[in-house]
Amino acid sequence: MAELDELSALALRPEGAVSVGGPWAGSSCVDDTAGAWLSAQRLYAYSGTRKEVLEYYGREASAAGWRPVNDLDMGPDGRIAVFCFESADRPSITLAFDSPEKLREMYGVQPDPGALLGADARTWFSWSAEAAPDGSRISCD
């Protein structure tokens, strides 16, 4: 888990994105009915738009050796919310857009972007890496 948590690509974030600590941050071993895997997650509040976040990761993740598996276009209705990036020999990375409401529902916490940014955050997103329990690559499929 520590090695996954130190994955260099997890340090990528748009300028102005503020790291939000809490029970969702850091690394863990997840075990549910679908099996077990390792995860390292970062959560950010950002005053920019989803489009700016997508453009940033589309450019920077690709430069770091991860390619988006599907198109990063949000589509006309903006409902697509999870994107996966793969590398040939490294863990996959997922970009997901979360709302404060979803965070309250999932973790029972009240995130306050105003305290972090000095203004309301328009965009909440997580940037996480996933690997098999032995640390090997998991595909986005």
Side-chain angles (χ1 to χ4, degrees), residues 35-58:
W37 70 92
L38 304 177
S39 177
Q41 185 171 9
R42 308 291 185 267
L43 178 69
Y44 296 100
Y46 182 57
S47 60
T49 65
R50 284 184 181 201
K51 182 179 180 196
E52 291 169 332
V53 172
L54 287 169
E55 288 172 352
Y56 174 84
Y57 284 111

Side-chain angles (χ1 to χ4, degrees), residues 28-99:
S28 62
C29 180
V30 180
D31 190 3
D32 67 9
T33 57
W37 70 92
L38 304 177
S39 177
Q41 185 171 9
R42 308 291 185 267
L43 178 69
Y44 296 100
Y46 182 57
S47 60
T49 65
R50 284 184 181 201
K51 182 179 180 196
E52 291 169 332
V53 172
L54 287 169
E55 288 172 352
Y56 174 84
Y57 284 111
R59 182 180 62 250
E60 298 300 321
S62 294
W66 275 265
R67 65 171 181 77
V69 172
N70 294 310
D71 189 3
L72 293 180
D73 182 7
M74 289 295 290
D77 60 8
R79 283 194 253 170
I80 298 171
V82 177
F83 303 91
C84 192
F85 296 77
E86 287 186 337
S87 176
D89 58 352
R90 295 176 281 183
S92 63
I93 300 179
T94 302
L95 172 63
F97 292 96
D98 298 305
S99 66

